[in-house]
Amino acid sequence: MTRLGLAVALMLATSATAQTPANIAAAVASPQRPASDTARDAERKPDVMLEFARVKPGDHVADLIPGHGYFTRLFAVAVKPGGKVIAIVPPEAAKRDAEGAAMIAAIAADPAYGDVSVVDGVGSPALGKVDVFWTAQNYHDLHNALSVDQVIEVNEAIFKLVKPGGYYVIVDHAAAAGSGLSAANALHRIDPETVKGEVEAAGFILDGENSALANPADPHTANVFDASIRGKTDQFMLRFKKPK
């Protein structure tokens, strides 16, 4: 092969590698997604997030505290054919956001989304074993509702749910380095190093980090709902793997 031919081959290979997986591209482009979801794509980067989570056709995915179903809808398409999505809506979350809980129930009731079900906690036997356990912008809230020991128990329960070789993916608003849990309630943020320590203590191994949602300009001092920073917070993405 000539040098030119080799260069072209390498360029084509790089281009193919950079392409979004077909199942994820289909999920993002799905006409079932409401405008309220697609309007958030620029800030949420769903193609990057789902690829980072390594969601594949046929996977069973658990979506903890899914809000209004932004990721639930994406997962429902990305796991086709043969996959399943289980939305975990604890009673406290349903009480706090009745509109969101109703939207999740509607997704589960709509056969167009495929196999989507709803359970009320990580201890539900209906969960079964999952390939990916996902939670976005919720991990800090575990510490607002539970004691540290109880959060440890939740992570241990998730470890049992995830299949060997499967993933636990956490996306959340970053707090200042070294702040531990001090910003969880006041600012709805958490230090990613604290998350790593807690999840690894349950038996998971840190498998990857992604900075696609990072914002170095975020001073980490404002509540995430403050107009000065809302939608522009510094966020971290962590992927943990359960050893085989």
Side-chain angles (χ1 to χ4, degrees):
M1 181 180 292
T2 65
R3 288 185 179 181
L4 178 60
L6 178 60
V8 171
L10 287 172
M11 289 174 64
L12 290 172
T14 301
S15 175
T17 302
Q19 289 181 352
T20 301
N23 67 313
I24 294 173
V28 175
S30 172
Q32 293 173 240
R33 301 182 68 214
S36 56
D37 279 7
T38 57
R40 305 185 69 185
D41 286 353
E43 68 181 60
R44 284 199 154 183
K45 299 179 173 60
D47 52 343
V48 175
M49 296 176 84
L50 265 67
E51 187 169 1
F52 178 73
R54 297 188 171 171
V55 176
K56 313 181 301 299
D59 275 355
H60 286 200
V61 176
D63 186 6
L64 175 62
I65 313 178
H68 289 192
Y70 178 94
F71 289 108
T72 311
R73 296 183 187 92
L74 289 163
F75 291 140
V77 176
V79 301
K80 291 180 179 179
K84 180 177 183 178
V85 179
I86 311 99
I88 305 173
V89 185
E92 299 83 0
K95 183 177 180 181
R96 184 174 65 247
D97 184 6
E99 180 184 7
M103 293 173 80
I104 297 300
I107 294 170
D110 186 346
Y113 282 106
D115 193 349
V116 179
S117 58
V118 184
V119 300
D120 63 3
V122 296
S124 171
L127 262 169
K129 296 291 185 179
V130 300
D131 299 281
V132 177
F133 192 102
W134 167 278
T135 190
Q137 301 173 339
N138 294 308
Y139 191 92
H140 70 273
D141 279 327
L142 295 180
H143 281 287
N144 292 336
L146 305 171
S147 68
V148 172
D149 286 344
Q150 288 173 318
V151 173
I152 290 171
E153 291 175 0
V154 169
N155 284 326
E156 290 174 343
I158 293 169
F159 185 82
K160 293 177 182 177
L161 290 171
V162 175
K163 298 175 184 178
Y167 301 102
Y168 180 15
V169 182
I170 298 171
V171 181
D172 214 334
H173 305 282
S179 60
L181 299 173
S182 63
N185 185 46
L187 305 179
H188 289 273
R189 299 172 178 266
I190 192 167
D191 183 352
E193 295 304 316
T194 298
V195 178
K196 292 177 188 177
E198 291 181 343
V199 176
E200 289 176 331
F204 287 99
I205 297 171
L206 182 63
D207 185 65
E209 301 183 50
N210 191 296
S211 61
L213 302 180
N215 177 13
D218 180 357
H220 304 108
T221 54
N223 187 298
V224 301
F225 299 109
D226 189 288
S228 67
I229 199 66
R230 187 165 190 174
K232 299 174 289 185
T233 57
D234 182 23
Q235 295 181 49
F236 59 87
M237 301 167 62
L238 303 174
R239 184 181 63 238
F240 300 90
K241 188 173 185 177
K242 181 173 179 175
K244 291 186 177 180

mmCIF file of all heavy atoms in Angstrom, residues 24-66:
data_model
loop_
_atom_site.group_PDB
_atom_site.id
_atom_site.type_symbol
_atom_site.label_atom_id
_atom_site.label_comp_id
_atom_site.label_asym_id
_atom_site.label_seq_id
_atom_site.Cartn_x
_atom_site.Cartn_y
_atom_site.Cartn_z
ATOM 1 N N ILE A 24 -27.552 4.147 19.700
ATOM 2 C CA ILE A 24 -27.596 5.421 20.420
ATOM 3 C C ILE A 24 -28.035 6.549 19.486
ATOM 4 O O ILE A 24 -28.834 7.414 19.865
ATOM 5 C CB ILE A 24 -26.232 5.715 21.063
ATOM 6 C CG1 ILE A 24 -25.959 4.673 22.162
ATOM 7 C CG2 ILE A 24 -26.187 7.129 21.637
ATOM 8 C CD1 ILE A 24 -24.579 4.736 22.764
ATOM 9 N N ALA A 25 -27.537 6.529 18.261
ATOM 10 C CA ALA A 25 -27.977 7.522 17.277
ATOM 11 C C ALA A 25 -29.482 7.428 17.061
ATOM 12 O O ALA A 25 -30.180 8.450 16.958
ATOM 13 C CB ALA A 25 -27.227 7.316 15.963
ATOM 14 N N ALA A 26 -30.006 6.194 17.010
ATOM 15 C CA ALA A 26 -31.447 6.003 16.833
ATOM 16 C C ALA A 26 -32.225 6.530 18.026
ATOM 17 O O ALA A 26 -33.307 7.103 17.877
ATOM 18 C CB ALA A 26 -31.746 4.520 16.613
ATOM 19 N N ALA A 27 -31.671 6.339 19.220
ATOM 20 C CA ALA A 27 -32.341 6.814 20.435
ATOM 21 C C ALA A 27 -32.434 8.334 20.452
ATOM 22 O O ALA A 27 -33.482 8.909 20.760
ATOM 23 C CB ALA A 27 -31.595 6.310 21.664
ATOM 24 N N VAL A 28 -31.330 8.998 20.110
ATOM 25 C CA VAL A 28 -31.311 10.461 20.113
ATOM 26 C C VAL A 28 -32.225 11.022 19.035
ATOM 27 O O VAL A 28 -32.892 12.052 19.234
ATOM 28 C CB VAL A 28 -29.864 10.973 19.938
ATOM 29 C CG1 VAL A 28 -29.853 12.501 19.817
ATOM 30 C CG2 VAL A 28 -28.989 10.538 21.117
ATOM 31 N N ALA A 29 -32.288 10.349 17.885
ATOM 32 C CA ALA A 29 -33.099 10.835 16.757
ATOM 33 C C ALA A 29 -34.555 10.378 16.826
ATOM 34 O O ALA A 29 -35.348 10.753 15.957
ATOM 35 C CB ALA A 29 -32.486 10.356 15.447
ATOM 36 N N SER A 30 -34.930 9.614 17.826
ATOM 37 C CA SER A 30 -36.273 9.042 17.880
ATOM 38 C C SER A 30 -37.370 10.105 17.853
ATOM 39 O O SER A 30 -37.337 11.059 18.634
ATOM 40 C CB SER A 30 -36.429 8.207 19.163
ATOM 41 O OG SER A 30 -37.774 7.795 19.328
ATOM 42 N N PRO A 31 -38.361 9.946 16.976
ATOM 43 C CA PRO A 31 -39.473 10.908 16.913
ATOM 44 C C PRO A 31 -40.379 10.830 18.143
ATOM 45 O O PRO A 31 -41.233 11.705 18.324
ATOM 46 C CB PRO A 31 -40.222 10.492 15.638
ATOM 47 C CG PRO A 31 -39.874 9.046 15.456
ATOM 48 C CD PRO A 31 -38.469 8.906 15.940
ATOM 49 N N GLN A 32 -40.211 9.805 18.964
ATOM 50 C CA GLN A 32 -41.016 9.694 20.187
ATOM 51 C C GLN A 32 -40.585 10.707 21.249
ATOM 52 O O GLN A 32 -41.352 10.995 22.169
ATOM 53 C CB GLN A 32 -40.877 8.291 20.783
ATOM 54 C CG GLN A 32 -41.473 7.189 19.946
ATOM 55 C CD GLN A 32 -41.132 5.824 20.518
ATOM 56 O OE1 GLN A 32 -40.503 5.008 19.865
ATOM 57 N NE2 GLN A 32 -41.524 5.571 21.742
ATOM 58 N N ARG A 33 -39.401 11.255 21.109
ATOM 59 C CA ARG A 33 -38.904 12.180 22.122
ATOM 60 C C ARG A 33 -39.651 13.516 22.047
ATOM 61 O O ARG A 33 -39.760 14.121 20.978
ATOM 62 C CB ARG A 33 -37.402 12.418 21.947
ATOM 63 C CG ARG A 33 -36.579 11.148 22.034
ATOM 64 C CD ARG A 33 -35.100 11.470 21.899
ATOM 65 N NE ARG A 33 -34.628 12.226 23.064
ATOM 66 C CZ ARG A 33 -33.694 13.158 23.020
ATOM 67 N NH1 ARG A 33 -33.136 13.478 21.867
ATOM 68 N NH2 ARG A 33 -33.335 13.782 24.124
ATOM 69 N N PRO A 34 -40.146 14.020 23.175
ATOM 70 C CA PRO A 34 -40.855 15.306 23.162
ATOM 71 C C PRO A 34 -39.889 16.468 22.968
ATOM 72 O O PRO A 34 -38.682 16.362 23.228
ATOM 73 C CB PRO A 34 -41.505 15.362 24.549
ATOM 74 C CG PRO A 34 -40.634 14.510 25.417
ATOM 75 C CD PRO A 34 -40.145 13.400 24.517
ATOM 76 N N ALA A 35 -40.414 17.589 22.533
ATOM 77 C CA ALA A 35 -39.588 18.780 22.299
ATOM 78 C C ALA A 35 -38.906 19.253 23.575
ATOM 79 O O ALA A 35 -37.800 19.801 23.534
ATOM 80 C CB ALA A 35 -40.452 19.894 21.720
ATOM 81 N N SER A 36 -39.560 19.024 24.711
ATOM 82 C CA SER A 36 -38.956 19.436 25.990
ATOM 83 C C SER A 36 -37.678 18.663 26.278
ATOM 84 O O SER A 36 -36.802 19.156 27.000
ATOM 85 C CB SER A 36 -39.957 19.236 27.134
ATOM 86 O OG SER A 36 -40.407 17.883 27.182
ATOM 87 N N ASP A 37 -37.557 17.452 25.732
ATOM 88 C CA ASP A 37 -36.330 16.669 25.868
ATOM 89 C C ASP A 37 -35.266 17.140 24.875
ATOM 90 O O ASP A 37 -34.122 17.413 25.245
ATOM 91 C CB ASP A 37 -36.596 15.182 25.640
ATOM 92 C CG ASP A 37 -37.167 14.489 26.870
ATOM 93 O OD1 ASP A 37 -37.482 15.179 27.860
ATOM 94 O OD2 ASP A 37 -37.301 13.248 26.833
ATOM 95 N N THR A 38 -35.636 17.212 23.604
ATOM 96 C CA THR A 38 -34.648 17.558 22.582
ATOM 97 C C THR A 38 -34.092 18.962 22.787
ATOM 98 O O THR A 38 -32.945 19.241 22.405
ATOM 99 C CB THR A 38 -35.242 17.433 21.173
ATOM 100 O OG1 THR A 38 -36.405 18.266 21.063
ATOM 101 C CG2 THR A 38 -35.650 15.990 20.892
ATOM 102 N N ALA A 39 -34.861 19.838 23.412
ATOM 103 C CA ALA A 39 -34.378 21.194 23.686
ATOM 104 C C ALA A 39 -33.204 21.199 24.656
ATOM 105 O O ALA A 39 -32.442 22.167 24.719
ATOM 106 C CB ALA A 39 -35.513 22.053 24.238
ATOM 107 N N ARG A 40 -33.047 20.105 25.408
ATOM 108 C CA ARG A 40 -31.972 20.021 26.407
ATOM 109 C C ARG A 40 -30.743 19.272 25.889
ATOM 110 O O ARG A 40 -29.750 19.150 26.596
ATOM 111 C CB ARG A 40 -32.499 19.329 27.666
ATOM 112 C CG ARG A 40 -33.739 19.983 28.264
ATOM 113 C CD ARG A 40 -34.130 19.325 29.569
ATOM 114 N NE ARG A 40 -33.156 19.609 30.603
ATOM 115 C CZ ARG A 40 -33.188 19.075 31.830
ATOM 116 N NH1 ARG A 40 -34.147 18.222 32.141
ATOM 117 N NH2 ARG A 40 -32.263 19.372 32.727
ATOM 118 N N ASP A 41 -30.807 18.786 24.662
ATOM 119 C CA ASP A 41 -29.724 17.955 24.148
ATOM 120 C C ASP A 41 -28.389 18.689 24.079
ATOM 121 O O ASP A 41 -27.336 18.089 24.311
ATOM 122 C CB ASP A 41 -30.081 17.400 22.768
ATOM 123 C CG ASP A 41 -31.115 16.277 22.853
ATOM 124 O OD1 ASP A 41 -31.452 15.849 23.969
ATOM 125 O OD2 ASP A 41 -31.583 15.840 21.775
ATOM 126 N N ALA A 42 -28.414 19.967 23.743
ATOM 127 C CA ALA A 42 -27.158 20.702 23.603
ATOM 128 C C ALA A 42 -26.380 20.734 24.910
ATOM 129 O O ALA A 42 -25.149 20.624 24.922
ATOM 130 C CB ALA A 42 -27.428 22.126 23.119
ATOM 131 N N GLU A 43 -27.100 20.875 26.025
ATOM 132 C CA GLU A 43 -26.418 20.928 27.320
ATOM 133 C C GLU A 43 -26.184 19.548 27.912
ATOM 134 O O GLU A 43 -25.216 19.343 28.658
ATOM 135 C CB GLU A 43 -27.224 21.772 28.316
ATOM 136 C CG GLU A 43 -28.550 21.175 28.738
ATOM 137 C CD GLU A 43 -29.327 22.068 29.700
ATOM 138 O OE1 GLU A 43 -29.655 23.211 29.308
ATOM 139 O OE2 GLU A 43 -29.612 21.620 30.828
ATOM 140 N N ARG A 44 -27.016 18.568 27.546
ATOM 141 C CA ARG A 44 -26.889 17.242 28.160
ATOM 142 C C ARG A 44 -26.047 16.258 27.354
ATOM 143 O O ARG A 44 -25.606 15.244 27.885
ATOM 144 C CB ARG A 44 -28.288 16.654 28.408
ATOM 145 C CG ARG A 44 -28.982 17.283 29.604
ATOM 146 C CD ARG A 44 -30.108 16.424 30.118
ATOM 147 N NE ARG A 44 -30.359 16.678 31.532
ATOM 148 C CZ ARG A 44 -31.251 16.019 32.258
ATOM 149 N NH1 ARG A 44 -31.980 15.064 31.709
ATOM 150 N NH2 ARG A 44 -31.399 16.298 33.536
ATOM 151 N N LYS A 45 -25.885 16.500 26.051
ATOM 152 C CA LYS A 45 -25.054 15.643 25.205
ATOM 153 C C LYS A 45 -25.419 14.155 25.357
ATOM 154 O O LYS A 45 -24.607 13.325 25.763
ATOM 155 C CB LYS A 45 -23.574 15.853 25.515
ATOM 156 C CG LYS A 45 -23.105 17.285 25.265
ATOM 157 C CD LYS A 45 -21.644 17.450 25.621
ATOM 158 C CE LYS A 45 -21.103 18.817 25.222
ATOM 159 N NZ LYS A 45 -21.808 19.937 25.861
ATOM 160 N N PRO A 46 -26.661 13.794 25.041
ATOM 161 C CA PRO A 46 -27.116 12.428 25.288
ATOM 162 C C PRO A 46 -26.347 11.356 24.525
ATOM 163 O O PRO A 46 -26.174 10.239 25.024
ATOM 164 C CB PRO A 46 -28.590 12.461 24.865
ATOM 165 C CG PRO A 46 -28.675 13.594 23.889
ATOM 166 C CD PRO A 46 -27.718 14.629 24.422
ATOM 167 N N ASP A 47 -25.863 11.684 23.315
ATOM 168 C CA ASP A 47 -25.101 10.685 22.565
ATOM 169 C C ASP A 47 -23.807 10.328 23.299
ATOM 170 O O ASP A 47 -23.445 9.146 23.427
ATOM 171 C CB ASP A 47 -24.810 11.177 21.149
ATOM 172 C CG ASP A 47 -24.171 12.561 21.113
ATOM 173 O OD1 ASP A 47 -24.238 13.295 22.122
ATOM 174 O OD2 ASP A 47 -23.590 12.920 20.061
ATOM 175 N N VAL A 48 -23.142 11.350 23.830
ATOM 176 C CA VAL A 48 -21.908 11.116 24.576
ATOM 177 C C VAL A 48 -22.192 10.342 25.862
ATOM 178 O O VAL A 48 -21.477 9.393 26.218
ATOM 179 C CB VAL A 48 -21.221 12.457 24.915
ATOM 180 C CG1 VAL A 48 -19.995 12.225 25.799
ATOM 181 C CG2 VAL A 48 -20.824 13.187 23.642
ATOM 182 N N MET A 49 -23.269 10.720 26.540
ATOM 183 C CA MET A 49 -23.578 10.114 27.833
ATOM 184 C C MET A 49 -23.957 8.641 27.693
ATOM 185 O O MET A 49 -23.512 7.790 28.472
ATOM 186 C CB MET A 49 -24.682 10.907 28.523
ATOM 187 C CG MET A 49 -24.265 12.327 28.860
ATOM 188 S SD MET A 49 -25.596 13.319 29.583
ATOM 189 C CE MET A 49 -25.481 12.852 31.288
ATOM 190 N N LEU A 50 -24.781 8.309 26.690
ATOM 191 C CA LEU A 50 -25.179 6.914 26.512
ATOM 192 C C LEU A 50 -24.025 6.059 26.016
ATOM 193 O O LEU A 50 -23.894 4.893 26.410
ATOM 194 C CB LEU A 50 -26.365 6.817 25.550
ATOM 195 C CG LEU A 50 -27.742 6.776 26.239
ATOM 196 C CD1 LEU A 50 -28.042 8.095 26.934
ATOM 197 C CD2 LEU A 50 -28.842 6.430 25.258
ATOM 198 N N GLU A 51 -23.183 6.639 25.167
ATOM 199 C CA GLU A 51 -22.026 5.879 24.722
ATOM 200 C C GLU A 51 -21.067 5.628 25.887
ATOM 201 O O GLU A 51 -20.501 4.535 26.018
ATOM 202 C CB GLU A 51 -21.308 6.599 23.589
ATOM 203 C CG GLU A 51 -20.193 5.786 22.965
ATOM 204 C CD GLU A 51 -19.642 6.376 21.683
ATOM 205 O OE1 GLU A 51 -20.119 7.449 21.253
ATOM 206 O OE2 GLU A 51 -18.731 5.752 21.098
ATOM 207 N N PHE A 52 -20.905 6.641 26.753
ATOM 208 C CA PHE A 52 -20.060 6.480 27.934
ATOM 209 C C PHE A 52 -20.592 5.374 28.840
ATOM 210 O O PHE A 52 -19.832 4.609 29.431
ATOM 211 C CB PHE A 52 -19.994 7.806 28.701
ATOM 212 C CG PHE A 52 -19.197 7.745 29.967
ATOM 213 C CD1 PHE A 52 -17.807 7.663 29.936
ATOM 214 C CD2 PHE A 52 -19.826 7.782 31.209
ATOM 215 C CE1 PHE A 52 -17.067 7.610 31.121
ATOM 216 C CE2 PHE A 52 -19.098 7.736 32.387
ATOM 217 C CZ PHE A 52 -17.705 7.646 32.343
ATOM 218 N N ALA A 53 -21.932 5.270 28.932
ATOM 219 C CA ALA A 53 -22.559 4.242 29.764
ATOM 220 C C ALA A 53 -22.511 2.858 29.126
ATOM 221 O O ALA A 53 -22.864 1.862 29.772
ATOM 222 C CB ALA A 53 -24.011 4.616 30.058
ATOM 223 N N ARG A 54 -22.091 2.793 27.875
ATOM 224 C CA ARG A 54 -21.948 1.535 27.151
ATOM 225 C C ARG A 54 -23.266 0.750 27.054
ATOM 226 O O ARG A 54 -23.304 -0.480 27.212
ATOM 227 C CB ARG A 54 -20.842 0.685 27.767
ATOM 228 C CG ARG A 54 -19.484 1.373 27.664
ATOM 229 C CD ARG A 54 -18.331 0.508 28.070
ATOM 230 N NE ARG A 54 -17.063 1.183 27.740
ATOM 231 C CZ ARG A 54 -15.868 0.749 28.119
ATOM 232 N NH1 ARG A 54 -15.753 -0.352 28.839
ATOM 233 N NH2 ARG A 54 -14.773 1.405 27.793
ATOM 234 N N VAL A 55 -24.330 1.483 26.806
ATOM 235 C CA VAL A 55 -25.649 0.866 26.655
ATOM 236 C C VAL A 55 -25.738 0.195 25.297
ATOM 237 O O VAL A 55 -25.475 0.816 24.264
ATOM 238 C CB VAL A 55 -26.752 1.929 26.804
ATOM 239 C CG1 VAL A 55 -28.121 1.312 26.560
ATOM 240 C CG2 VAL A 55 -26.688 2.560 28.190
ATOM 241 N N LYS A 56 -26.143 -1.082 25.284
ATOM 242 C CA LYS A 56 -26.192 -1.879 24.058
ATOM 243 C C LYS A 56 -27.597 -2.455 23.841
ATOM 244 O O LYS A 56 -28.375 -2.594 24.802
ATOM 245 C CB LYS A 56 -25.220 -3.066 24.132
ATOM 246 C CG LYS A 56 -23.837 -2.754 24.610
ATOM 247 C CD LYS A 56 -22.968 -4.000 24.618
ATOM 248 C CE LYS A 56 -23.502 -5.133 25.503
ATOM 249 N NZ LYS A 56 -23.624 -4.774 26.920
ATOM 250 N N PRO A 57 -27.915 -2.826 22.592
ATOM 251 C CA PRO A 57 -29.170 -3.548 22.356
ATOM 252 C C PRO A 57 -29.205 -4.817 23.208
ATOM 253 O O PRO A 57 -28.195 -5.515 23.346
ATOM 254 C CB PRO A 57 -29.100 -3.883 20.863
ATOM 255 C CG PRO A 57 -28.242 -2.801 20.281
ATOM 256 C CD PRO A 57 -27.199 -2.533 21.327
ATOM 257 N N GLY A 58 -30.353 -5.083 23.783
ATOM 258 C CA GLY A 58 -30.512 -6.268 24.624
ATOM 259 C C GLY A 58 -30.200 -6.052 26.094
ATOM 260 O O GLY A 58 -30.477 -6.927 26.922
ATOM 261 N N ASP A 59 -29.642 -4.892 26.440
ATOM 262 C CA ASP A 59 -29.290 -4.629 27.845
ATOM 263 C C ASP A 59 -30.522 -4.420 28.714
ATOM 264 O O ASP A 59 -31.567 -3.952 28.255
ATOM 265 C CB ASP A 59 -28.419 -3.366 27.949
ATOM 266 C CG ASP A 59 -26.946 -3.639 27.739
ATOM 267 O OD1 ASP A 59 -26.569 -4.816 27.595
ATOM 268 O OD2 ASP A 59 -26.160 -2.660 27.727
ATOM 269 N N HIS A 60 -30.356 -4.748 29.995
ATOM 270 C CA HIS A 60 -31.314 -4.355 31.023
ATOM 271 C C HIS A 60 -30.700 -3.166 31.749
ATOM 272 O O HIS A 60 -29.582 -3.264 32.291
ATOM 273 C CB HIS A 60 -31.567 -5.502 31.996
ATOM 274 C CG HIS A 60 -32.405 -6.596 31.423
ATOM 275 N ND1 HIS A 60 -33.079 -7.516 32.182
ATOM 276 C CD2 HIS A 60 -32.696 -6.912 30.135
ATOM 277 C CE1 HIS A 60 -33.736 -8.350 31.398
ATOM 278 N NE2 HIS A 60 -33.519 -8.011 30.158
ATOM 279 N N VAL A 61 -31.404 -2.034 31.732
ATOM 280 C CA VAL A 61 -30.885 -0.788 32.290
ATOM 281 C C VAL A 61 -31.808 -0.314 33.414
ATOM 282 O O VAL A 61 -33.028 -0.222 33.224
ATOM 283 C CB VAL A 61 -30.781 0.312 31.217
ATOM 284 C CG1 VAL A 61 -30.324 1.637 31.835
ATOM 285 C CG2 VAL A 61 -29.826 -0.114 30.109
ATOM 286 N N ALA A 62 -31.230 0.000 34.570
ATOM 287 C CA ALA A 62 -31.982 0.588 35.678
ATOM 288 C C ALA A 62 -31.715 2.084 35.697
ATOM 289 O O ALA A 62 -30.561 2.518 35.625
ATOM 290 C CB ALA A 62 -31.570 -0.046 37.002
ATOM 291 N N ASP A 63 -32.776 2.871 35.796
ATOM 292 C CA ASP A 63 -32.688 4.334 35.792
ATOM 293 C C ASP A 63 -33.211 4.835 37.135
ATOM 294 O O ASP A 63 -34.423 4.889 37.360
ATOM 295 C CB ASP A 63 -33.511 4.878 34.623
ATOM 296 C CG ASP A 63 -33.379 6.382 34.434
ATOM 297 O OD1 ASP A 63 -32.560 7.007 35.137
ATOM 298 O OD2 ASP A 63 -34.087 6.936 33.566
ATOM 299 N N LEU A 64 -32.291 5.180 38.030
ATOM 300 C CA LEU A 64 -32.678 5.573 39.394
ATOM 301 C C LEU A 64 -33.096 7.039 39.459
ATOM 302 O O LEU A 64 -32.347 7.929 39.069
ATOM 303 C CB LEU A 64 -31.505 5.334 40.351
ATOM 304 C CG LEU A 64 -31.705 5.799 41.799
ATOM 305 C CD1 LEU A 64 -32.854 5.047 42.461
ATOM 306 C CD2 LEU A 64 -30.415 5.626 42.600
ATOM 307 N N ILE A 65 -34.312 7.270 39.964
ATOM 308 C CA ILE A 65 -34.924 8.598 40.106
ATOM 309 C C ILE A 65 -34.873 9.311 38.750
ATOM 310 O O ILE A 65 -34.103 10.254 38.531
ATOM 311 C CB ILE A 65 -34.250 9.437 41.212
ATOM 312 C CG1 ILE A 65 -34.078 8.605 42.491
ATOM 313 C CG2 ILE A 65 -35.091 10.692 41.515
ATOM 314 C CD1 ILE A 65 -33.375 9.325 43.633
ATOM 315 N N PRO A 66 -35.690 8.877 37.815
ATOM 316 C CA PRO A 66 -35.591 9.337 36.420
ATOM 317 C C PRO A 66 -36.195 10.691 36.114
ATOM 318 O O PRO A 66 -36.206 11.104 34.944
ATOM 319 C CB PRO A 66 -36.320 8.233 35.657
ATOM 320 C CG PRO A 66 -37.337 7.742 36.630
ATOM 321 C CD PRO A 66 -36.681 7.817 37.976
#
